[in-house]
Amino acid sequence: MKAARYYDQKDIRIEDIPEPELKPGTVAIDVAWCGICGTDLHEYLEGPIFVPPKGKPHPISGEEAPVTLGHEFSGTITALGEGVTGLEVGQDVVVEPYIVGEDVDTGEGSNYQLSENMNFIGLGGRGGGLSEKIVVEQRWVHPVGDIPLDEAALIEPLSVGHHAFVRSGAGEGDVAIVGGAGPIGLLTAGVLKASGLTVYISELSEARKEMARTTGVADEVFDPREVDVAEKVRELTDGKGADVGFECSSVPVVLDMLIDAVKPGGVIVNVSIWGRKPEVDMPNLVLKEIDLRGTIGYSNDHPATIKLVQEGKLDLSKFITARIKLDELVDKGFDQLINNNEKHVKILVNPNA
């Protein structure tokens, strides 16, 4: 079968590899669509990061570069391994792409995303969605019902936004300010809006501002070159400030804006991955008693995220900006997201086209 294999920085090859083996407790899936994630771009430009380098196999998967990429994917079940129950051949599904230890509890309330040596299918090994077929453990498979499979490929990044929302402790009727309208910022805003929050977004890019408006994920979109965003938020909240802020840009001035924009005693959730250590406005953080929280991945967020989409509270089709074949991965996928990223939210790849 065809697969996109990561060898090293700027070295991704489309190759023929053996089909994965169905084992007890696992599920075989024909991949329909796989999204290209910002993490994949970081691996391509700066890696290996999550990908275990050649000669340094991952302690759980036992794999090293080259590995098959792709962790945002949907597909259809084609076979069930011995002992698998509750799933059926022919079901459309998505995969929660974790690699964790066999002894790690993934039940309700478990923080398995924080377990030792955690990694992701499609980065740390165990196949990936940028291939025609994949076999995964049953515990990671989630049926999506009648959600179209192209839209279902966005459930994984949407779950990142849902987990950030859960981490914030916010609820219906609260006011949120999101810093950055890239893919994760937009999807996080989508979860917030679908959950009954008033959502403001701060963004410089004209294309991304327009995307925030056309997708309907924001009540207002502000350009920090045109307005003082924190002051505008206070104006719209009768001087109080936002209840919660979400940092989705990995830009220090955006974090400073959020510290300014949230109310005293408010919460800021950092969703973005930082490539460097930023300066933080600690005096303002302290004087306002702001709670700054980190978030990584998701933890039992997929069912709730799927439900939001099934109930029609989010239209994921608006976030898909291109569909390509696996052979076009680098030139029409990676290159576009690197050099023309303002015009894209999510580029989907069909490995079987």
Side-chain angles (χ1 to χ4, degrees), residues 88 135 259:
E88 298 176 4
V135 170
I259 292 172

Side-chain angles (χ1 to χ4, degrees), residues 33 56 66 83 118 122 132 152 174 181 310-311 347:
W33 295 96
K56 296 182 178 180
M118 179 276 291
E132 296 179 43
D174 284 342
Q310 288 177 328
E311 291 177 345
I347 295 178

Side-chain angles (χ1 to χ4, degrees), residues 67-96:
V67 299
T68 301
L69 286 177
H71 59 278
E72 301 179 355
F73 59 95
S74 62
T76 302
I77 294 175
T78 57
L80 302 174
E82 181 184 345
V84 173
T85 60
L87 296 170
E88 298 176 4
V89 171
Q91 272 186 309
D92 290 342
V93 297
V94 293
V95 170
E96 187 175 352

Side-chain angles (χ1 to χ4, degrees), residues 157-323:
L158 193 66
S159 294
V160 172
H162 187 272
H163 188 62
F165 164 58
V166 172
R167 288 280 296 141
S168 75
E172 185 175 356
D174 284 342
V175 175
I177 172 70
V178 177
I184 289 297
L186 289 169
L187 291 170
T188 298
V191 171
L192 300 173
K193 189 67 179 166
S195 302
L197 280 73
T198 297
V199 181
Y200 303 129
I201 289 180
S202 176
E203 174 59 54
L204 291 171
S205 160
E206 292 298 330
R208 288 181 172 180
K209 286 189 293 183
E210 183 61 21
M211 183 65 72
R213 295 187 182 103
T214 58
T215 55
V217 299
D219 293 273
E220 298 270 3
V221 182
F222 306 125
D223 188 325
R225 295 168 299 192
E226 299 172 357
V227 299
D228 182 326
V229 175
E231 188 58 40
K232 189 68 176 176
V233 171
R234 281 190 289 273
E235 177 186 321
L236 291 166
T237 55
D238 297 323
K240 184 182 73 169
D243 298 290
V244 289
F246 294 85
E247 205 302 298
C248 301
S249 70
S250 67
V251 176
V253 293
V254 175
L255 179 56
D256 286 344
M257 178 275 291
L258 294 172
I259 292 172
D260 191 10
V262 300
K263 69 182 183 182
V267 172
I268 297 172
V269 180
N270 183 90
V271 192
S272 59
I273 301 295
W274 293 74
R276 61 198 181 287
K277 293 182 179 179
E279 291 186 7
V280 180
D281 183 3
M282 291 302 294
N284 210 9
L285 188 85
V286 170
L287 291 173
K288 293 178 71 176
E289 288 196 355
I290 290 169
D291 189 343
L292 178 60
R293 301 177 184 176
T295 182
I296 182 70
Y298 25 75
S299 176
N300 287 307
D301 289 270
H302 277 62
T305 305
I306 291 167
K307 186 178 179 182
L308 280 178
V309 179
Q310 288 177 328
E311 291 177 345
K313 294 180 178 179
L314 268 169
D315 181 2
L316 293 178
S317 66
K318 296 179 179 179
F319 299 97
I320 301 170
T321 48
R323 295 172 175 82

Side-chain angles (χ1 to χ4, degrees), residues 30-47:
D30 275 1
V31 178
W33 295 96
C34 183
I36 302 173
C37 176
T39 305
D40 298 325
L41 297 181
H42 283 300
E43 294 287 345
Y44 182 70
L45 293 172
E46 306 153 9

